[in-house]
């Protein structure tokens, strides 16, 4: 009986690049599969429950910024099972390695899967979020037969290297609170202008967040429908009807939650996506019904006004921030803190357009200030400039421990123990609790041995590393 179950639920695979044998679970995720001999990185693999090596399969290579392969593969599980894809999800931590190493390892991962499994070379796709979207959208430069790219919250586009003779489908997905929303739309316009097939999906989320599995399923159906149109997959009308109804259900959810303008935009895209399948009249009727709904015109107006205001505000924020950094204007730190407080209040607005705008503007401020923070800390600039950008970071993103660490390090090295202790306490007020890291800050060794430093640590964490028995709270 055990042998029978093993035959039903697992497949033995011998890779071409390794003598190691491993079992792959059918209808489930198998984690920690080796990428190649001599490479320590691994990937997770999902295979549909009816997987058989007797036929060729489409595959989606997925890249998560933190290398959460199995978790991310499970996000794609429902779509992969229903629409019959293999999912190869990377365990590569993209935030800890240089980009050339990442691209090389991603290429090795692709080669390993393509050589080890019965993959249809005409139906190879990538998907990724954040830095993972940049990696995934760069891979068509290496694999010329790429059929599609799903980019979530970011992308990589280099017109000089794009091979227009080998077009692929580009699907953008972005959270409605993500400051990258306009950038993603510009990527879409770029691909539209060179006649690549495109689609875009929005979800209720911020930057560095994956959408839910239902959004991913609807997006993957774009790859599936495009493959059917090209004759790469069987034209099963019942199956196409099911995909269409799933997507209509999504637009209906938008309508019921009074997101009329977003629903109409999605239906407009669906008309092109499902053309020649007999749904044109149904889509047109749904669009007409939404546009007649009370609230549609006001939402469209609010959206356009918010878009115009937001782009102007982004430009103004960046100009003022760069100017304050160049002049090391500590007096304006309070003004930036006030701007962030106002955006925080606006996030709770009952007007979704205004609330989402506040999220995006704060996200953009966070992005620009982090970019300048990273650049300045690498540069040969006066200590005052480094302290200023670090303090500014804590005003814009109160929960970024890196900025607090830098202030403690710089102030401690400069003998300004009062400032270092002040920012140590501000960091701990955010809920930070990694005590070991508090005692490994560069340039603050003498301060870390002081009674004052340990008093503050014990006050918030209940204990301190030094003088634990003698330290008393104030």
């Amino acid at each position: 009986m055990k042998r029978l179950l093993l035959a039903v639920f697992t497949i033995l695979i011998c890779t071409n690049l390794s003598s190691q044998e491993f079992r792959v679970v059918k209808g489930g995720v198998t984690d920690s599969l080796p990428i190649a001999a001599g490479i320590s990185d691994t990937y997770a693999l999902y295979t549909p429950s009816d997987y058989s090596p007797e036929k060729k399969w489409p595959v989606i290579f997925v890249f998560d910024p933190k290398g959460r392969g199995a978790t991310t593969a499970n996000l794609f599980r429902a779509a992969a099972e229903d629409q019959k894809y293999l999912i190869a999800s990377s365990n590569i931590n993209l935030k800890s390695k240089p980009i050339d190493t990442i691209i090389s390892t991603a290429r090795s991962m692709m080669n390993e899967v393509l050589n080890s499994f019965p993959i249809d070379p005409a139906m190879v796709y990538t998907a990724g979020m954040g830095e993972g979207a940049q990696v995934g959208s760069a891979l068509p430069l290496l694999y010329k037969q790429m059929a599609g790219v799903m980019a979530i919250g970011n992308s990589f586009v280099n017109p000089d290297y794009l091979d227009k003779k080998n077009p692929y489908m580009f699907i953008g997905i972005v959270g409605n609170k993500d400051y990258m929303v306009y950038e993603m739309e510009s990527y879409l316009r770029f691909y539209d202008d060179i006649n690549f097939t495109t689609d875009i999906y929005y979800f209720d989320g911020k930057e560095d967040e994956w959408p839910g599995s239902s959004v991913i399923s609807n997006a993957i159906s774009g790859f599936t429908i495009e493959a059917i149109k090209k004759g790469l997959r069987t034209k099963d009308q019942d199956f196409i009807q099911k995909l269409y109804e799933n997507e209509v259900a999504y637009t209906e959810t938008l309508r019921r939650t009074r997101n009329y303008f977003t629903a109409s935009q999605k239906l407009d895209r669906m008309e092109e996506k499902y053309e020649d399948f007999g749904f044109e009249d149904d889509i047109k009727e749904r669009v007409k019904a939404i546009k007649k709904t009370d609230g549609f015109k006001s939402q469209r107006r609010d959206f356009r006004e918010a878009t115009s205001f937001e782009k102007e505000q982004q430009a103004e924020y960046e100009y003022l921030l760069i100017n304050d950094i160049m002049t090391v204007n500590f007096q304006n730190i309070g003004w930036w803190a006030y701007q962030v407080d106002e955006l925080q209040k606006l996030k709770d607005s009952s007007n979704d357009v205004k609330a989402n705008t506040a999220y995006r503007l704060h996200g953009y401020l966070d992005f620009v200030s982090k970019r300048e923070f990273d650049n300045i800390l690498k540069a040969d600039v006066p200590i005052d400039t480094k302290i200023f950008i670090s303090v500014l970071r804590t005003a814009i993103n109160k929960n970024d421990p890196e900025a607090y660490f830098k202030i403690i390090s710089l102030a401690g090295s400069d003998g300004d123990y009062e400032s270092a202790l002040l920012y140590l306490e501000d960091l701990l007020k955010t809920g930070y609790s990694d005590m070991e890291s508090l005692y490994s800050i560069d340039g603050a060794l003498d301060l870390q041995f002081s009674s004052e430093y340990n008093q503050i640590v014990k006050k918030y964490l209940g204990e301190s590393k030094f003088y634990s028995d003698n330290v008393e709270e104030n």
Side-chain angles (χ1 to χ4, degrees):
M1 183 65 176
K2 289 182 179 179
R3 290 183 179 178
L4 177 60
L5 289 174
L6 185 64
V8 171
F9 292 106
T10 67
I11 309 159
L12 283 174
I13 303 292
C14 294
T15 71
N16 294 337
L17 302 179
S18 171
S19 60
Q20 180 181 6
E21 291 187 348
F22 50 87
R23 290 186 175 90
V24 175
V25 180
K26 294 174 65 173
V29 175
T30 305
D31 200 6
S32 302
L33 298 177
I35 286 179
I39 298 179
S40 60
D41 290 298
T42 63
Y43 67 97
L45 183 76
Y46 176 82
T47 57
S49 56
D50 59 349
Y51 172 81
S52 167
E54 304 303 318
K55 71 170 188 175
K56 293 187 178 295
W57 293 78
V59 62
I60 303 175
F61 292 95
V62 183
F63 299 92
D64 173 71
K66 297 180 181 178
R68 298 167 294 191
T71 301
T72 308
N74 274 308
L75 273 176
F76 286 72
R77 182 172 184 162
E81 182 66 27
D82 291 342
Q83 301 179 49
K84 307 307 175 187
Y85 289 85
L86 302 189
I87 304 296
S89 184
S90 161
N91 284 321
I92 308 168
N93 188 330
L94 306 180
K95 296 179 180 292
S96 64
K97 296 184 178 183
I99 187 63
D100 55 341
T101 300
I102 291 169
I103 294 295
S104 177
T105 306
R107 185 176 190 176
S108 296
M109 172 182 155
M110 285 187 66
N111 289 336
E112 172 67 20
V113 174
L114 294 174
N115 291 330
S116 300
F117 296 89
I119 303 300
D120 187 329
M123 289 192 286
V124 175
Y125 308 86
T126 69
M129 183 267 287
E131 293 92 340
Q134 292 182 312
V135 172
S137 56
L139 289 176
L141 301 177
L142 304 177
Y143 186 80
K144 297 299 184 180
Q145 291 178 269
M146 192 71 71
V149 169
M150 180 190 298
I152 300 167
N154 211 327
S155 186
F156 169 82
V157 177
N158 189 328
D160 295 333
Y161 293 99
L162 191 68
D163 187 355
K164 297 179 183 178
K165 295 180 181 178
N166 291 295
Y168 51 85
M169 184 175 193
F170 179 83
I171 298 176
I173 305 179
V174 64
N176 54 18
K177 297 178 176 67
D178 188 348
Y179 68 90
M180 284 292 291
V181 65
Y182 301 118
E183 193 70 17
M184 185 61 69
E185 289 169 353
S186 72
Y187 293 140
L188 211 74
R189 287 191 295 272
F190 168 79
Y191 282 109
D192 282 336
D193 288 343
I194 59 174
N195 295 318
F196 279 41
T197 304
T198 64
D199 205 352
I200 190 166
Y201 290 81
Y202 301 93
F203 68 99
D204 187 19
K206 305 188 293 295
E207 59 272 13
D208 297 324
E209 288 183 1
W210 284 95
S213 60
S214 61
V215 175
I216 289 173
S217 293
N218 284 333
I220 289 177
S221 71
F223 292 154
T224 304
I225 292 293
E226 192 66 13
I228 292 172
K229 289 179 180 180
K230 292 180 177 180
L232 298 172
R233 297 183 66 146
T234 303
K235 185 178 179 180
D236 181 337
Q237 191 61 36
D238 290 339
F239 176 59
I240 295 170
Q241 179 77 32
K242 178 183 177 183
L243 295 179
Y244 175 74
E245 288 175 355
N246 287 341
E247 202 148 5
V248 165
Y250 168 69
T251 66
E252 184 64 15
T253 298
L254 291 174
R255 190 189 69 79
R256 288 179 179 274
T257 53
R258 299 184 180 183
N259 290 296
Y260 307 124
F261 183 62
T262 305
S264 71
Q265 287 182 308
K266 184 63 231 169
L267 284 166
D268 286 340
R269 281 265 170 190
M270 286 176 62
E271 187 170 6
E272 180 180 355
K273 178 177 178 178
Y274 290 97
E275 65 180 351
D276 302 325
F277 291 120
F279 302 115
E280 291 86 355
D281 290 342
D282 183 56
I283 292 174
K284 288 178 181 178
E285 288 302 316
R286 290 178 183 277
V287 171
K288 286 182 182 178
I290 286 176
K291 289 185 175 180
K292 290 179 180 178
T293 305
D294 291 339
F296 170 79
K297 290 183 179 179
S298 63
Q299 283 187 8
R300 183 175 59 186
R301 183 183 64 250
D302 288 347
F303 177 83
R304 291 171 177 172
E305 290 176 353
T307 299
S308 176
F309 162 77
E310 187 175 343
K311 290 180 178 179
E312 291 176 3
Q313 193 66 50
Q314 281 186 353
E316 182 178 0
Y317 275 158
E318 184 161 5
Y319 170 79
L320 293 174
L321 189 142
I322 299 299
N323 187 64
D324 281 351
I325 293 171
M326 292 178 65
T327 58
V328 192
N329 195 335
F330 279 94
Q331 291 184 339
N332 277 348
I333 294 290
W335 184 85
W336 286 109
Y338 172 77
Q339 296 301 308
V340 172
D341 286 343
E342 290 301 299
L343 290 174
Q344 291 288 7
K345 293 175 185 176
L346 199 56
K347 289 177 184 180
D348 296 326
S349 171
S350 58
N351 184 313
D352 287 342
V353 173
K354 292 181 179 179
N356 292 341
T357 297
Y359 274 103
R360 291 193 295 266
L361 282 174
H362 191 193
Y364 186 74
L365 261 182
D366 188 30
F367 161 72
V368 174
S369 62
K370 181 63 165 65
R371 181 192 68 197
E372 296 304 313
F373 174 81
D374 290 340
N375 290 338
I376 287 171
L377 293 189
K378 295 174 186 175
D380 183 17
V381 297
I383 188 173
D384 283 356
T385 303
K386 293 186 176 182
I387 290 178
F388 174 81
I389 189 61
S390 301
V391 173
L392 181 60
R393 277 292 294 154
T394 65
I396 292 173
N397 186 341
K398 295 179 174 62
N399 295 311
D400 178 14
E402 189 179 4
Y404 293 94
F405 285 164
K406 199 61 188 177
I407 298 170
I408 296 167
S409 172
L410 292 169
S413 300
D414 201 40
D416 185 2
Y417 290 171
E418 184 177 350
S419 293
L421 292 172
L422 174 65
Y423 278 90
L424 168 66
E425 185 157 18
D426 284 347
L427 170 61
L428 292 169
K429 285 178 180 178
T430 68
Y432 189 80
S433 60
D434 184 354
M435 187 169 71
E436 194 61 36
S437 66
L438 298 175
Y439 289 91
S440 57
I441 300 174
D442 292 340
L445 184 61
D446 290 345
L447 184 61
Q448 290 159 9
F449 276 103
S450 72
S451 175
E452 294 84 356
Y453 193 95
N454 285 272
Q455 280 182 350
I456 294 172
V457 172
K458 185 176 181 181
K459 176 182 177 181
Y460 288 92
L461 301 186
E463 59 179 337
S464 59
K465 191 168 184 179
F466 303 116
Y467 311 112
S468 295
D469 296 332
N470 300 322
V471 168
E472 295 181 0
E473 296 184 13
N474 293 329

